[in-house]
Amino acid sequence: MNDNKKAIISILRKSEGTPVSGQEIGQKLGITRAMVWKYIKALRKEGYDVRSSPKTGYILDSCPDKIDPDMLQSILKTTLIGSDIQYYTELESTNNTAREIALGALEGTVVLAETQKNGRGRMGSEWQSVPGGLWLSLILKPSIPLESLSKITLVAGIAVTNALRAVDVDAHIKWPNDVLVRGRKICGILTEVSAEIGKVDYVVLGIGINVNVKLSDLNEDIRRNSTSVSNEIGKPLDRTSFLASLLYELEQQYIRFKTRQFAEIVDEWINLSDTIGRNVRVRTPAMLIEGKAVGITEKGALVVLDKNDKKHKIIAGNCRYAD
Ligand code: BTN
């Protein structure tokens, strides 16, 4: 988009519904009122709903539902997460692209796409990535042993849940990394890693959030157990602003992970989760464990007490609630 159009959108967004006159915009940009009007007409054609009143000025009522990478850069309050933002209209999978570039990429690089042709979920499942969602992968380079990887997933779950609660979505984490609202999935997290001799080279944290996803766009079997932010709050959300606050949350949680005791993170995770205290069935690659979820270990494993009072510490698996 041309710089003047970007600047007009930015001015109107910042005015938050207060009219801004063509003269004021023109003065700020060093162009005439007639030029401002010409750009406004062009923006309308691109889907920006700009109201105009001859007496008061212009108001931005709505923007097309596209992530705006320039706007994101201008509102982002982070220093590490989002150090580089690579935006695509469509990708096979943001996790694939992130893994391809990870070794040479800055820590905090974010790869995001409006849609994915081949979005991947955990355990080889498909992740439907239709328009309106946030499909992103974050490259992290923590100096941690491979066994601490599941902690990063818990950290990401906390960040997503906090960002969703900030927009009035009553989100809860289901171990290890699903975020649910009223028992329906709104977000999934796929953590992938490259490590050598047990030490992590990089982590790709793939996060998929159904923000403005229309549930009717999802396959029936997925739709049944899914929800989206717009479905919960009854209106679409500005995905660019939401992404900025999600990246901020991710940075806060990642800094805490690097500087504080993990017990602090476990406490917050338990507060945001509805798994602890529930009867669960957890399928691991080796076995099926049934019992009551009673806690999280200092390594990030789920502790399940079975009917014989035997404690199982599970680092990875697929969890279902049994009640
Ligand atoms: C799950 O199965 O719950 C995890 C889903 C993860 C989906 C996200 S969308 C962005 C990133 N790219 C992918 O291909 N998958 C992850």
Side-chain angles (χ1 to χ4, degrees):
M1 191 191 278
N2 138 330
D3 282 351
N4 281 329
K5 284 199 273 184
K6 275 188 209 161
I8 293 175
I9 293 300
S10 166
I11 292 169
L12 295 180
R13 270 193 201 246
K14 283 189 189 133
S15 81
E16 293 179 338
T18 308
V20 190
S21 70
Q23 186 173 0
E24 193 181 330
I25 297 174
Q27 266 165 8
K28 281 191 176 144
L29 304 187
I31 57 177
T32 63
R33 271 167 47 198
M35 287 291 277
V36 173
W37 174 231
K38 192 188 101 188
Y39 286 126
I40 297 276
K41 283 193 288 186
L43 284 166
R44 283 180 179 160
K45 279 199 184 127
E46 289 168 34
Y48 290 86
D49 193 0
V50 185
R51 215 174 344 136
S52 63
S53 132
K55 289 211 180 78
T56 51
Y58 300 109
I59 297 172
L60 181 62
D61 280 334
S62 70
C63 297
D65 189 10
K66 285 263 182 287
I67 294 158
D68 182 337
D70 296 314
M71 180 54 59
L72 179 63
Q73 290 287 6
S74 75
I75 58 177
L76 203 55
K77 288 190 287 181
T78 57
T79 49
L80 178 73
I81 307 296
S83 49
D84 181 16
I85 295 187
Q86 305 203 0
Y87 169 80
Y88 297 86
T89 309
E90 184 164 75
L91 282 178
E92 284 291 321
S93 153
T94 57
N95 263 38
N96 291 357
T97 303
R99 286 170 63 166
E100 279 158 27
I101 62 166
L103 279 178
L106 286 174
E107 180 172 49
T109 295
V110 172
V111 177
L112 70 144
E114 293 286 349
T115 55
Q116 300 183 111
K117 284 197 274 189
N118 224 339
R120 293 187 287 111
R122 293 173 64 231
M123 307 200 166
S125 63
E126 174 205 6
W127 182 262
Q128 280 209 297
S129 315
V130 298
L134 270 183
W135 322 125
L136 67 109
S137 300
L138 171 62
I139 298 170
L140 296 176
K141 300 188 170 178
S143 318
I144 53 165
L146 188 55
E147 59 177 33
S148 293
L149 189 64
S150 53
K151 294 182 185 176
I152 297 263
T153 306
L154 299 186
V155 165
I158 293 175
V160 171
T161 306
N162 281 340
L164 286 169
R165 289 190 180 191
V167 292
D168 289 333
V169 173
D170 187 20
H172 295 267
I173 313 172
K174 176 169 153 263
W175 184 88
N177 52 11
D178 285 350
V179 182
L180 308 184
V181 182
R182 299 179 298 112
R184 289 156 179 262
K185 189 154 165 171
I186 198 161
C187 164
I189 300 171
L190 175 67
T191 313
E192 296 184 308
V193 67
S194 163
E196 260 174 89
I197 342 169
K199 202 178 163 307
V200 167
D201 291 328
Y202 63 80
V203 178
V204 169
L205 205 55
I207 302 177
I209 310 179
N210 296 334
V211 180
N212 296 333
V213 164
K214 290 196 193 85
L215 299 186
S216 56
D217 285 347
L218 300 175
N219 291 348
E220 208 181 322
D221 52 329
I222 293 174
R223 189 188 318 154
R224 222 175 300 129
N225 298 314
S226 299
T227 189
S228 64
V229 174
S230 53
N231 188 49
E232 293 301 317
I233 65 175
K235 57 172 192 225
L237 199 64
D238 180 328
R239 285 183 301 144
T240 308
S241 315
F242 180 69
L243 178 56
S245 70
L246 172 66
L247 298 182
Y248 181 73
E249 267 301 327
L250 282 162
E251 179 154 298
Q252 299 305 305
Q253 298 304 331
Y254 189 53
I255 291 172
R256 183 164 71 160
F257 168 70
K258 292 206 292 190
T259 56
R260 314 282 296 209
Q261 296 292 323
F262 188 60
E264 210 179 274
I265 291 171
V266 170
D267 284 348
E268 181 163 10
W269 189 92
I270 290 175
N271 271 333
L272 297 175
S273 165
D274 60 3
T275 302
I276 305 305
R278 302 276 297 253
N279 288 318
V280 294
R281 267 191 211 111
V282 186
R283 188 169 289 285
T284 70
M287 62 195 289
L288 176 70
I289 298 152
E290 295 191 48
K292 190 172 183 166
V294 291
I296 298 283
T297 69
E298 72 290 349
K299 289 197 171 130
L302 179 70
V303 185
V304 175
L305 200 60
D306 72 15
K307 61 178 189 306
N308 302 317
D309 276 351
K310 182 170 183 249
K311 267 188 187 169
H312 300 263
K313 293 178 183 172
I314 311 168
I315 208 81
N318 207 10
C319 170
R320 279 172 187 252
Y321 291 152
D323 51 17

